[in-house]
Each structure stands twice: as structure tokens, then as C-alpha cells.
Amino acid sequence: MSEKADLAVKCFGEGFSCAQAVFTSYCEDYNLDKETALKIAGAFGGGMGYIGETCGAVTGAFMLIGLKYGKYRTEDNVSKDKTYSAIQEFTRRFKAEFGSVKCTELIKYDLSIAEELNKAKEAEAFKHTCSGLVKRAVEIIEEIL
């Protein structure tokens, strides 16, 4: 396992979300303090705050792509195109391995329903499924960045 993937899996194992784990694995590389990175990514776990949409490991990776390539000047459409291209490449690779980028489809529970969220927690679905998604998301990001 790569150093970045190891950091992300460790962070996830400490109780942070998949999005936080992926995003903070690179915060030092971009001079972003870890507390700020954790706060930025804090709402994206559980498929965006337990609504079961885009996987937090994926959104964490998307934020990293934006941090590296993102457009910040009005006229800089080259950066926008590079960002979107990298997002598409990441998504293609992730879907090729896991079949989806949607949290509900990846963990097989609809987290937007309280009963399903509780079942996912009882079955330790996050521990068993999400740590592997976090690891692989960081590995794919390493290849793209």
C-alpha cells in the first residue's frame, strides 16, 4: 500500500469519513492544514451527509483534483478543462473496478433511510467496504495527480 493510501486508511480507521480520509491524505502537499481539510471534507461522507449519493472517497478525490488543477481565474478555461478531464478519468477507473460511484450502490444500504443506516452500522459495512474504497481512491488519485 502506498504511503498516501496508508494515511487515508489510518484516518478512516480513526473515525473520520471516507471523504475526509481521502482529502486529508494530500493536505500537506498543498499547504492545507489538516484541521481545515477535515472541516472542508466533513460534509461529504456517507454519500454526502448520509443521503447515499456520490461516495465520499470519490468526492474526496474530486476535491483533490480541484485543489491541484482547479480554475481560480476567470479566463483560465484550460484549468477547468484539465480538472473536468481528470474527474472523468478518475470516475472511469473507479467505476471500472466498483461498478458505480454512488454510495448506496457500493455499500448496498440506502443511508438516507434511518433503518438502513442503522443496518449498515450494525453490519459494519463502512469498516468492511469503505476502507477498501478509500484505499483504492487514493491509489487512483496518485496515478492521476
Side-chain angles (χ1 to χ4, degrees):
M1 185 170 0
S2 75
E3 181 182 328
K4 299 287 187 203
D6 190 40
L7 279 172
V9 170
K10 182 177 185 281
C11 182
F12 183 74
E14 291 171 349
F16 291 101
S17 75
C18 42
Q20 290 171 305
V22 171
F23 189 57
T24 61
S25 67
Y26 274 84
C27 64
E28 287 182 15
D29 294 30
Y30 294 98
N31 297 315
L32 183 61
D33 69 277
K34 189 169 182 175
E35 180 181 333
T36 300
L38 287 167
K39 287 180 176 183
I40 289 168
F44 294 93
M48 310 256 193
Y50 286 148
I51 62 172
E53 293 299 328
T54 305
C55 167
V58 172
T59 57
F62 287 2
M63 287 187 280
L64 285 171
I65 291 168
L67 197 55
K68 170 121 187 187
Y69 300 121
K71 175 181 173 173
Y72 63 94
R73 292 185 323 270
T74 305
E75 69 282 355
D76 186 12
N77 289 319
V78 171
S79 290
K80 180 179 178 180
D81 292 343
K82 184 162 181 103
T83 300
Y84 287 10
S85 178
I87 294 287
Q88 291 165 4
E89 177 63 15
F90 178 90
T91 301
R92 184 191 63 74
R93 291 185 192 190
F94 196 88
K95 278 184 170 181
E97 287 190 45
F98 301 108
S100 180
V101 294
K102 189 170 180 180
C103 180
T104 298
E105 294 171 4
L106 294 166
I107 68 167
K108 312 296 186 222
Y109 292 93
D110 185 345
L111 304 180
S112 68
I113 300 169
E115 183 179 295
E116 288 283 304
L117 174 59
N118 289 333
K119 285 181 184 178
K121 288 177 180 179
E122 288 171 12
E124 296 186 322
F126 303 110
K127 177 182 175 183
H128 298 299
T129 302
C130 300
S131 60
L133 299 172
V134 164
K135 175 184 177 285
R136 192 62 190 123
V138 173
E139 291 170 346
I140 295 169
I141 273 295
E142 284 184 299
E143 296 166 8
I144 291 174
L145 298 181

